[in-house]
Amino acid sequence: MPRRDYYEILDVPRTAGLDDIKRAFRKAALNHHPDKNPGDSAAEARFKEALEAYEVLSEPEKRERYDRFGHDGLRGMATHDYGSFDSIFDAFGDIFGDGIFGSIFGSSRRQGRPGQFRGASLRVTLEIDFLESAVGVERKIALKRAESCDECIGTGAKPGTRPATCSACGGGGEIVQTHGFFSMRVTCHVCEGRGEVITARCSACGGAGRVQKKREITVKIPPGIQDGTRMRVAGEGEAGSDPRLRGDLYCDIFVKPHEFFERHNNDVLCEVPVAFTQAALGAEIEVPTIDGKAKLEIPKGTEDGHVFTLKGAGMPDVHNGRRGNQLIRLVIDVPRTLTNKQEELLREYATTEKTSVRPRKKGIIEKLKDYLGTL
Ligand SMILES: [Zn+2]
Ligand SMILES: [Zn+2]
């Protein structure tokens, strides 16, 4: 499925400023928000699409790359992973830390134990060469992600101060709401269920407990990985409320097509041209394999399209390393031009075969002479 243009998704012109983008995103998010459209998977998809568009267009570096190179320009750059809804809600704190979202989402943001939350997962697209996919490769990814603040060790409280018990819920993290006959317990909106509030904010993180930091991560891509594979690197997403609750990093791997090789499951297909004389008389030829050159014996009288199998010369299976085969399809190359000597020999050969061949074609100069003679 072709990916939609981010400007089109948010319905803004390409020249739109950051404020216009924020406004447009807020509108789209309100329309498609899952709380407003329960069970509507199309709305959910549009909501995620709008989030992704907003993340790219609101960050100058990503927007510039997108403007210049489109979706491909974002390869190798980490974005939040919107695949699971949990992580969307967890990601809000970081992406929408400027508060444009606070009022929309309220307390639906946090799940699990009060005050605990998992860090957002990140997603990155990596492109590797065909031959790299055969032997495995390491890629370094530079990304910005939320990390626990060193200054306050993630508490958000100014060093030397302690958070105070929340006065709204008395420290329980929940309050009772009454609607007519019913009363229900909901997460306290003052402390977001933590049971405590920060009295003096940490100046390094503004009380969030987390800060954006640049990180370089080395991702090991195993041999035999298939094009389009999503790899999960556990714990390399953003920091959560505690070190065990880090998000994950998802790497979408794209394998660039190769000039000669094509992968089918774990087999590698390739076409090799040979001269028709080699096919007719037999020959030993050199063929490319993913390990380098190999010799291939072509028996006398091999037909066009014949497939040879090099056992065990295919791709390794990404799970068990067992290699597939290489399949080599012969393509007989018919010469487009012949020297006079070659043509003479072939005509002589043809008479032995008793096949009818076309008489020698006249060249354009001879044709022109003939035509002039008729005038
Ligand atoms: Zn801090
Ligand atoms: Zn509270």
Side-chain angles (χ1 to χ4, degrees):
M1 202 178 70
R3 298 181 70 184
R4 283 179 69 200
D5 179 58
Y6 288 144
Y7 291 98
E8 194 184 302
I9 291 167
L10 293 184
D11 194 22
V12 289
R14 299 189 83 84
T15 52
L18 188 58
D19 284 342
D20 296 329
I21 287 168
K22 275 188 187 174
R23 246 194 312 277
F25 168 62
R26 201 170 196 281
K27 201 176 121 196
L30 279 170
N31 282 338
H32 306 309
H33 188 258
D35 286 356
K36 271 182 71 179
N37 305 276
D40 181 349
S41 60
E44 187 183 313
R46 279 194 297 272
F47 182 74
K48 289 177 183 173
E49 208 177 46
L51 273 170
E52 195 183 306
Y54 177 73
E55 182 176 353
V56 171
L57 298 186
S58 63
E59 281 183 34
E61 199 187 336
K62 284 179 186 159
R63 184 175 176 180
E64 200 207 311
R65 291 268 291 265
Y66 179 73
D67 284 349
R68 289 177 63 192
F69 308 111
H71 289 289
D72 286 347
L74 300 168
R75 292 195 169 174
M77 291 188 110
T79 51
H80 283 85
D81 179 61
Y82 302 113
S84 82
F85 249 88
D86 284 10
S87 75
I88 288 184
F89 290 115
D90 288 338
F92 287 149
D94 308 306
I95 310 172
F96 309 114
D98 53 4
I100 71 163
F101 245 110
S103 57
I104 306 178
F105 294 104
S107 61
S108 65
R109 236 184 87 178
R110 300 295 182 219
Q111 290 160 5
R113 289 233 312 277
Q116 280 209 319
F117 61 94
R118 180 169 287 281
S121 288
L122 300 169
R123 190 184 65 189
V124 66
T125 305
L126 297 174
E127 194 177 59
I128 61 173
D129 288 334
F130 189 88
L131 292 178
E132 287 176 329
S133 79
V135 293
V137 65
E138 280 188 7
R139 275 280 194 284
K140 283 196 166 68
I141 306 167
L143 49 83
K144 250 195 206 164
R145 66 183 182 193
E147 296 286 355
S148 183
C149 172
D150 295 331
E151 218 38 51
C152 61
I153 327 161
T155 62
K158 192 173 170 181
T161 70
R162 279 190 53 78
T165 303
C166 173
S167 57
C169 61
E174 288 181 331
I175 50 171
V176 176
Q177 269 183 0
T178 307
H179 300 281
F181 294 109
F182 302 101
S183 64
M184 54 187 204
R185 306 183 73 83
V186 295
T187 305
C188 171
H189 59 277
V190 175
C191 62
E192 287 188 338
R194 280 168 231 251
E196 35 187 39
V197 286
I198 291 160
T199 46
R201 286 166 188 255
C202 165
S203 56
C205 62
R210 296 190 298 164
V211 285
Q212 292 287 326
K213 283 186 188 167
K214 282 192 176 167
R215 284 280 185 265
E216 198 178 77
I217 293 163
T218 304
V219 176
K220 274 196 176 154
I221 301 168
I225 200 153
Q226 299 252 22
D227 181 45
T229 304
R230 168 164 283 200
M231 246 177 71
R232 176 170 162 269
V233 188
E236 289 291 1
E238 304 207 306
S241 61
D242 109 29
R244 287 163 305 170
L245 292 173
R246 291 198 72 102
D248 298 323
L249 174 67
Y250 291 98
C251 303
D252 288 330
I253 311 292
F254 288 92
V255 179
K256 271 193 244 171
H258 192 272
E259 210 184 335
F260 297 113
F261 300 127
E262 206 181 293
R263 181 172 182 163
H264 283 259
N265 300 317
N266 290 332
D267 291 338
V268 173
L269 257 61
C270 93
E271 284 193 342
V272 174
V274 288
F276 72 103
T277 46
Q278 289 178 303
L281 304 172
E284 190 187 71
I285 62 165
E286 272 190 336
V287 292
T289 75
I290 58 175
D291 306 305
K293 280 187 228 169
K295 287 206 166 27
L296 179 70
E297 190 65 44
I298 297 173
K300 236 179 184 178
T302 301
E303 287 186 346
D304 183 45
H306 187 86
V307 177
F308 293 91
T309 302
L310 293 183
K311 278 223 153 58
M315 281 283 180
D317 186 275
V318 75
H319 302 293
N320 58 28
R322 227 174 285 143
R323 290 180 68 172
N325 300 324
Q326 180 171 352
L327 306 174
I328 299 165
R329 194 169 163 268
L330 277 203
V331 183
I332 293 178
D333 197 26
V334 176
R336 281 169 201 84
T337 55
L338 292 172
T339 63
N340 283 337
K341 174 80 177 160
Q342 285 171 332
E343 179 154 353
E344 216 172 90
L345 288 168
L346 273 180
R347 285 184 180 283
E348 203 182 315
Y349 168 74
T351 58
T352 67
E353 256 192 340
K354 298 187 179 66
T355 50
S356 76
V357 289
R358 280 168 191 271
R360 189 185 150 95
K361 264 193 199 160
K362 285 180 178 172
I364 186 81
I365 294 170
E366 287 167 303
K367 276 187 192 166
L368 186 65
K369 259 189 199 161
D370 288 351
Y371 179 60
L372 288 170
T374 63
L375 296 177

